[in-house]
Amino acid sequence: MNSPVYNEFVNLVAYFSAKVFVRDFVPSALAFLMNGEPEIVKNFILKTLRLQSWEKKIDRFQLGEGVMPASFKVLHDPVRNSETLIADFGESAIGRVAPVDSGFWWIILLRAYTKSTGDTSLAELPECQKGMRLILSLCLSEGFDTFPTLLCADGCCMIDRRMGVYGYPIEIQALFFMALRCALLLLKQDDEGKEFIERIAKRLHALSYHMRSYFWLDLKQLNDIYRYKTEEYSHTAVNKFNVMPDSLPEWVFDFMPLHGGYFIGNVSPARMDFRWFCLANCIAILSSLATPEQSTAIMDLIESRWEELVGEMPLKVCYPAMETHEWRIITGCDPKNTRWSYHNGGSWPVLLWLLAAACVKTGRPQIARRAIEIAEARLLKDNWPEYYDGKLGRYIGKQSRKVQTWSVAGYLVAKMMLEDPSHLGMIALEEDKQMKPLLRRSNSWTL
């Protein structure tokens, strides 16, 4: 692709290479792969793999061996004419939270590189195989949790500040599912690989069942929750998590269309987070965590609630925004996450690539074209901001940085995906026919 926008993107990557975030680089990596420039992506994969092996201590506490860095800096010594990498595993992050998503994005990117280039030699390197196994060891470890989902702290993913996503955030669960499926395709069938392949297969069955049964919300499920009884014990309980019907927020009744549905933000004891999260629902489609019927329902919801989720600048990172007392308690009065700003209902152009990929996979490219046309009217003119504020995404974010690489990359990948839908193969996975079929909640909750 030879265009002024792509050339500007390449210049931005070179200019901002002093600090690189693993998750932020993914759309840039996809743009390079789609443009036939895989060496940059290969170097990134190997550099971050090297950083994984570093000792990771925060205030004398050692992190798990498989943790991938959230980001790294490139320090240049002009005297010695040398460069040094400085990794951040959470010790410099907002709230000092280690990233859970970086390792998942790394596995997903390794599979994208392999699928795009047809080169399996990188993934088959002993160090890459070991890197995957270390990541998997962390997230497949057994403990006290009775759920197959991953228990996480606030700030462990793209939403990197306190936003009430602690517990079992949908973004982490969707990425976890996708990374497990990618690892199945990349792990070698040797003694060590086979052990993990067996563990992954068991976890995927449990995880897909749990997510499709308990995280899925449509009009019928909403009505079922509305009529829940509480304080139920034993295996016959319908309301397994003891969710109080009075905890249902007023907005969700109007938000839920007649045809459509989505994976809600969180499910844990006595708590359901009914917010819509864009990245997670798109990843659910791309990874086939969502069944074909659920994928269609997610796209129906986006079309039905276009003003709320797309508005004047794609796309809402989550919906709706928290405000007043709820904002004070949950965000800790975070001035960056005021209502309809940043991660509290802000609009993020980078999410365009995820929407476009989900649209191509579900056979609804017209939705992506409409969103891209809206973005094109402003992005270049506004100098590629990081995010937009306001209920409709009308205003450039109050603390939004401009000339953001991933804003340009998200737009480019979306455009290239629509121009050549074959690119979808590097980031999407078809439904696994061996997965157990979806059981209706009314059946699954009374087994």
Side-chain angles (χ1 to χ4, degrees):
M1 186 178 193
N2 188 14
S3 71
V5 174
Y6 188 82
N7 293 336
E8 181 175 352
F9 157 69
V10 172
N11 291 334
L12 284 174
V13 171
Y15 182 77
F16 289 109
S17 61
K19 185 168 185 178
V20 182
F21 284 83
V22 173
R23 79 176 69 92
D24 297 12
F25 184 73
V26 171
S28 296
L30 296 178
F32 284 126
L33 290 173
M34 291 178 182
N35 202 49
E37 301 176 75
E39 281 302 311
I40 299 171
V41 181
K42 181 177 181 179
N43 290 336
F44 176 85
I45 289 170
L46 291 173
K47 289 293 183 186
T48 46
L49 181 64
R50 182 179 140 212
L51 295 174
Q52 183 197 39
S53 64
W54 287 14
E55 184 180 64
K56 299 172 273 285
K57 278 190 177 180
I58 299 179
D59 292 339
R60 299 186 180 185
F61 181 75
Q62 189 156 325
L63 300 183
E65 194 178 358
V67 174
M68 280 285 184
S71 65
F72 59 88
K73 291 180 180 179
V74 182
L75 296 183
H76 181 69
D77 185 339
V79 178
R80 298 180 179 178
N81 194 27
S82 62
E83 291 182 338
T84 306
L85 296 183
I86 305 295
D88 173 20
F89 294 96
E91 66 268 34
S92 300
I94 295 286
R96 301 305 187 264
V97 177
V100 178
D101 60 341
S102 292
F104 298 151
W105 278 122
W106 186 87
I107 293 175
I108 292 166
L109 186 57
L110 179 60
R111 187 258 174 185
Y113 170 89
T114 304
K115 183 73 174 178
S116 174
T117 62
D119 174 19
T120 60
S121 62
L122 177 62
E124 290 173 354
L125 288 175
E127 50 265 48
C128 279
Q129 292 288 310
K130 181 182 178 182
M132 279 190 285
R133 292 196 302 268
L134 287 174
I135 294 168
L136 295 169
S137 293
L138 276 178
C139 58
L140 293 175
S141 60
E142 297 170 345
F144 291 99
D145 207 331
T146 61
F147 306 152
T149 41
L150 283 181
L151 185 62
C152 302
D154 250 347
C156 66
C157 52
M158 178 185 172
I159 296 177
D160 60 357
R161 300 165 79 91
R162 184 172 170 181
M163 269 287 288
V165 299
Y166 57 86
Y168 305 89
I170 183 64
E171 180 174 328
I172 291 299
Q173 314 317 320
L175 287 170
F176 179 32
F177 182 88
M178 190 168 193
L180 289 180
R181 291 205 61 198
C182 289
L184 272 184
L185 301 171
L186 297 171
L187 285 169
K188 295 173 73 172
Q189 293 276 351
D190 53 19
D191 290 341
E192 291 177 302
K194 283 181 180 178
E195 177 195 344
F196 279 96
I197 288 169
E198 290 174 5
R199 292 170 66 186
I200 289 170
K202 290 179 182 178
R203 189 63 168 263
L204 278 173
H205 276 87
L207 184 60
S208 62
Y209 175 84
H210 184 91
M211 298 298 297
R212 293 169 180 176
S213 299
Y214 305 130
F215 275 68
W216 180 252
L217 189 72
D218 55 20
L219 191 60
K220 181 190 179 303
Q221 309 292 18
L222 181 59
N223 205 103
D224 288 347
I225 297 169
Y226 180 69
R227 291 168 48 81
Y228 270 170
K229 295 177 181 178
T230 58
E231 302 298 324
E232 294 183 297
Y233 297 90
S234 84
H235 296 289
T236 61
V238 175
N239 184 3
K240 282 193 172 183
F241 302 103
N242 199 35
V243 174
M244 306 297 165
D246 286 347
S247 69
L248 281 163
E250 288 295 325
W251 64 264
V252 76
F253 294 99
D254 294 327
F255 182 70
M256 182 60 69
L258 185 62
H259 301 288
Y262 64 103
F263 288 98
I264 63 174
N266 221 316
V267 175
S268 55
R271 179 175 180 262
M272 279 186 165
D273 182 350
F274 291 93
R275 285 176 294 176
W276 151 270
F277 289 88
C278 179
L279 187 152
N281 276 274
C282 289
I283 289 290
I285 291 174
L286 296 176
S287 65
S288 289
L289 169 60
T291 66
E293 295 77 18
Q294 288 173 334
S295 296
T296 297
I298 292 169
M299 301 311 298
D300 288 344
L301 178 97
I302 293 173
E303 280 200 298
S304 299
R305 296 293 173 253
W306 189 263
E307 283 292 295
E308 292 92 333
L309 303 179
V310 180
E312 296 184 21
M313 177 53 66
L315 284 146
K316 281 276 177 285
V317 66
C318 72
Y319 180 90
M322 293 181 289
E323 46 191 322
T324 61
H325 183 66
E326 184 185 31
W327 166 78
R328 286 191 289 271
I329 295 297
I330 292 180
T331 75
C333 298
D334 188 346
K336 196 166 187 177
N337 270 332
T338 53
R339 64 175 187 168
W340 308 114
S341 180
Y342 199 58
H343 288 144
N344 189 14
S347 298
W348 291 70
V350 65
L351 297 173
L352 270 172
W353 80 265
L354 285 157
L355 176 67
C359 288
V360 171
K361 188 176 182 195
T362 54
R364 311 273 279 272
Q366 70 279 3
I367 297 177
R369 289 194 187 97
R370 185 180 172 193
I372 289 171
E373 286 173 3
I374 292 171
E376 281 178 332
R378 290 195 57 188
L379 277 177
L380 182 59
K381 182 177 66 177
D382 293 341
N383 207 8
W384 306 101
E386 181 183 19
Y387 66 94
Y388 286 77
D389 284 354
K391 201 166 186 177
L392 296 176
R394 181 171 293 173
Y395 308 101
I396 297 174
K398 60 187 174 184
Q399 295 188 42
S400 180
R401 297 176 179 88
K402 294 192 177 183
V403 290
Q404 287 291 287
T405 306
W406 70 344
S407 294
V408 184
Y411 165 75
L412 282 172
V413 171
K415 289 281 284 186
M416 288 192 275
M417 190 81 68
L418 289 181
E419 290 169 3
D420 184 358
S422 68
H423 289 314
L424 179 69
M426 73 173 73
I427 199 64
L429 297 162
E430 293 304 315
E431 187 178 19
D432 186 350
K433 300 299 182 183
Q434 293 182 342
M435 288 284 182
K436 291 181 181 178
L438 174 71
L439 297 178
R440 296 180 64 85
R441 183 190 293 245
S442 57
N443 294 332
S444 66
W445 283 39
T446 54
L447 288 176

